Amino acid sequence: MAEPQIDHIVVDVRDRIAEGAEIYRRLGFQLTPMGKHSLGSANHLAIFGTDYLELLGTDVPGGALRPDLEPFPVGLNGLVFRGYDSEALQARLMAAGVPVQPANAFFRPADLPDGSQADAKFKTVRLDRSAAFDGRLYWCEHLTPEHVWRKEWQEHPNGALGVARMLLSVRDPERQAAMFRRMFGAEAVRTTDDGRALLRLGAAAVVEAAPHAAVAAELGNAAPDPAGRGDHLAVLGLKVRDLGATAALLRTNKVPATVSAGLVRVPARAAMNTTIDFMA
């Protein structure tokens, strides 16, 4: 079984995409030009080394959202793993007892460096919403990765290099652990003495499910507003090149943040209801 790998993380901005882009640029991210999906949504991306952050919504203020985005508030709602051979992946997951939907193909036009245009093409396999946290979990297969991972988009003023930690706030970490085992195999998941479930993504990243009380104690007033969600994504952790430089940029841009050993934390209220940890 292939080792799990983060493909991208999604922050829903709903019909506030211009505001979200302004905020994330102030946080030190270089964003791609707005893209418009054949599914009817719009996005900006912050491209890292092997993964990326997506601001997802609609480009029309007050406009209708994609039906699968409509139930979710502004905030961190999408956990996306790298997919390959989507139809075979969907069959394997179903055989393992993972309730997923059929593979879905879509595209968005992409402007190329030479001034021409081509379609960035994708296939996704989505987990049934009732089987996971109150958010979206899916696999994304890139049919044209060259239109996404372009070197001129991968340098960020905040020094972000890639996703290092995703923290889920949940009622029952073992429920999440059991689903991750069916997805990726028992060897990919472990539980800690304090009741957390850890899905290890190679040597560099982890998806962590912790009880609501433990997450509340860790984040305090930096926590996101659940806004009606139950089990939900609470923290996006990003590895950066130079933590001191990241902290200095946030101060210059007047972004509230707390600094501790190996960590600069931006509260959710300053990042579209998403707690962001910049990590050494």
Side-chain angles (χ1 to χ4, degrees):
M1 189 175 296
E3 184 176 76
Q5 179 184 352
I6 291 289
D7 185 82
H8 65 279
I9 302 301
V10 185
V11 174
D12 287 350
V13 294
R14 296 183 66 85
D15 66 344
R16 298 163 58 190
I17 195 164
E19 177 189 356
E22 180 183 355
I23 287 171
Y24 273 73
R25 290 187 181 106
R26 194 161 63 245
L27 288 165
F29 295 102
Q30 178 189 187
L31 299 180
T32 61
M34 183 187 293
K36 297 183 181 181
H37 297 122
S38 57
L39 300 175
S41 47
N43 69 1
H44 289 285
L45 308 179
I47 306 295
F48 309 128
T50 61
D51 48 43
Y52 60 92
L53 168 65
E54 178 177 28
L55 304 180
L56 181 64
T58 173
D59 64 324
V60 181
L65 293 165
R66 265 172 34 192
D68 60 314
L69 305 182
E70 177 58 43
F72 301 106
V74 166
L76 187 61
N77 292 311
L79 174 61
V80 188
F81 296 100
R82 181 67 51 83
Y84 301 95
D85 194 356
S86 293
E87 287 77 11
L89 172 65
Q90 191 261 351
R92 179 183 67 75
L93 290 167
M94 289 292 288
V98 180
V100 290
Q101 301 169 3
N104 180 41
F106 63 101
F107 65 91
R108 61 171 172 79
D111 293 326
L112 303 185
D114 64 3
S116 63
Q117 195 173 72
D119 287 338
K121 299 177 182 180
F122 315 89
K123 287 185 180 180
T124 57
V125 175
R126 298 180 180 276
L127 182 69
D128 187 271
R129 179 181 172 186
S130 64
F133 55 90
D134 200 356
R136 300 184 308 281
L137 188 154
Y138 56 101
W139 288 258
C140 183
E141 177 182 2
H142 289 263
L143 304 178
T144 55
E146 68 275 13
H147 298 331
V148 175
W149 279 277
R150 285 167 43 180
K151 288 191 178 299
E152 68 268 26
W153 290 339
Q154 291 177 292
E155 288 294 325
H156 301 275
N158 61 20
L161 300 173
V163 177
R165 183 195 188 208
M166 295 297 301
L167 177 61
L168 278 157
S169 179
V170 301
R171 300 181 305 279
D172 179 10
E174 178 52 36
R175 176 177 177 271
Q176 300 296 327
M179 181 57 70
F180 287 147
R181 291 187 192 104
R182 289 198 291 276
M183 292 174 179
F184 301 114
E187 68 283 355
V189 184
R190 71 177 181 89
T191 55
T192 64
D193 291 342
D194 62 353
R196 297 172 184 245
L198 305 179
L199 170 66
R200 182 60 63 181
L201 306 165
V206 66
V207 176
E208 181 179 342
H212 290 313
V215 174
E218 176 182 341
L219 299 185
N221 63 9
D225 177 5
R229 296 172 294 177
D231 295 353
H232 60 280
L233 288 164
V235 174
L236 166 61
L238 295 168
K239 182 174 177 56
V240 297
R241 185 175 291 109
D242 182 332
L243 201 59
T246 303
L249 178 139
L250 295 174
R251 286 194 298 272
T252 297
N253 290 352
K254 296 181 170 53
V255 176
T258 58
V259 181
S260 58
L263 181 71
V264 175
R265 173 166 290 160
V266 175
R269 65 182 181 277
M272 300 298 285
N273 201 32
T274 299
T275 305
I276 298 180
D277 284 351
F278 294 107
M279 306 167 64

